[in-house]
Amino acid sequence: EATRRATARDTVLARIGAALADRPPVPAVPRTYRRTLPPGVDPIERFVERVADYRARVERVEPADVAAAIGRTLAAEGARRVAVPADLTAEWLAGIPEPVVDDPPLAWAALDAVDGVVTGCAVAIAETGTIVLDGGVGQGRRALSLLPDLHVCVVRADQIVGEIAEALERLDPGRPLTWISGPSATSDIELSRVEGVHGPRRLVVLLVG
């Protein structure tokens, strides 16, 4: 039986190969698109501008003030019980009234019940105002930043690049990438905006440096 299956498979593959033998060569892909921001454009200022366009809030903080900024943000948003990755920067925890560590992984119902989540990120893109998480240190698993209603994301200035092409050079495509451009929002056929359908309704970015 195994021999028959292997023979049939080989026959099918051989026929596919024969059918494609006269296919035209694959054309070169033009890569003339812009790969960096125009000269004179500050990527940090562009990032802040773009994130604000998405109705997210950006606060610029000094490295020593991150924990205090997290505390202020959570208080302003009415969030106390906040989910955090197990490897979140220890100093940041001081700003969280009731951290709920995702270790072992919290059940969906438990994640849905917390007031928010605090994470870091892998890279941020100025031109699109996008934050990318890859499950690395301080970011947690994908569900952690998708189920809670509030996401407080800490972004370092040196993590901001100008364009998507630059971001891709820093990212590993084999990792679980989550691309976040503002709070979760969608529109129905009448263009009525609905927020929080497939992610947090509220996004606050703490830009460090």
Side-chain angles (χ1 to χ4, degrees):
E1 180 65 26
T3 301
R4 285 200 302 271
R5 286 200 300 269
T7 301
R9 179 189 61 201
D10 294 341
T11 299
V12 170
L13 291 176
R15 289 177 179 175
I16 293 174
L20 296 175
D22 61 346
R23 68 188 186 278
V26 178
V29 178
R31 301 191 184 277
T32 55
Y33 49 81
R34 194 172 71 193
R35 303 180 66 86
T36 59
L37 289 176
V41 177
D42 184 337
I44 295 177
E45 296 300 333
R46 177 62 58 87
F47 175 73
V48 171
E49 174 188 335
R50 292 289 192 260
V51 172
D53 284 344
Y54 289 125
R55 302 186 188 180
R57 183 161 65 84
V58 183
E59 180 179 345
R60 303 183 72 159
V61 301
E62 295 299 323
D65 192 38
V66 175
I70 290 174
R72 291 194 302 270
T73 298
L74 296 178
E77 297 290 341
R80 289 192 57 82
R81 296 187 67 254
V82 177
V84 297
D87 54 1
L88 189 74
T89 302
E91 290 81 1
W92 299 356
L93 292 173
I96 303 174
E98 298 179 29
V100 181
V101 181
D102 189 42
D103 184 25
L106 299 167
W108 306 135
L111 269 180
D112 189 48
V114 297
D115 299 325
V117 60
V118 174
T119 74
C121 75
V123 68
I125 306 169
E127 185 60 29
T128 61
T130 301
I131 298 165
V132 186
L133 279 62
D134 67 359
V137 175
Q139 300 168 56
R141 57 195 173 113
R142 177 172 288 166
L144 193 63
S145 58
L146 293 179
L147 285 179
D149 191 56
L150 167 68
H151 183 187
V152 179
C153 188
V154 180
V155 179
R156 301 192 316 269
D158 62 6
Q159 292 177 306
I160 299 176
V161 298
E163 293 281 357
I164 294 175
E166 295 176 272
L168 293 175
E169 293 174 355
R170 295 196 184 190
L171 296 168
D172 178 355
R175 296 190 64 82
L177 303 179
T178 303
W179 298 64
I180 302 169
S181 296
S184 169
T186 188
S187 296
D188 61 17
I189 195 171
E190 296 179 349
L191 301 182
S192 297
R193 180 183 173 95
V194 180
E195 298 179 345
V197 175
H198 43 64
R201 286 185 305 120
R202 296 171 289 162
L203 172 66
V204 180
V205 176
L206 300 181
L207 177 54
V208 183

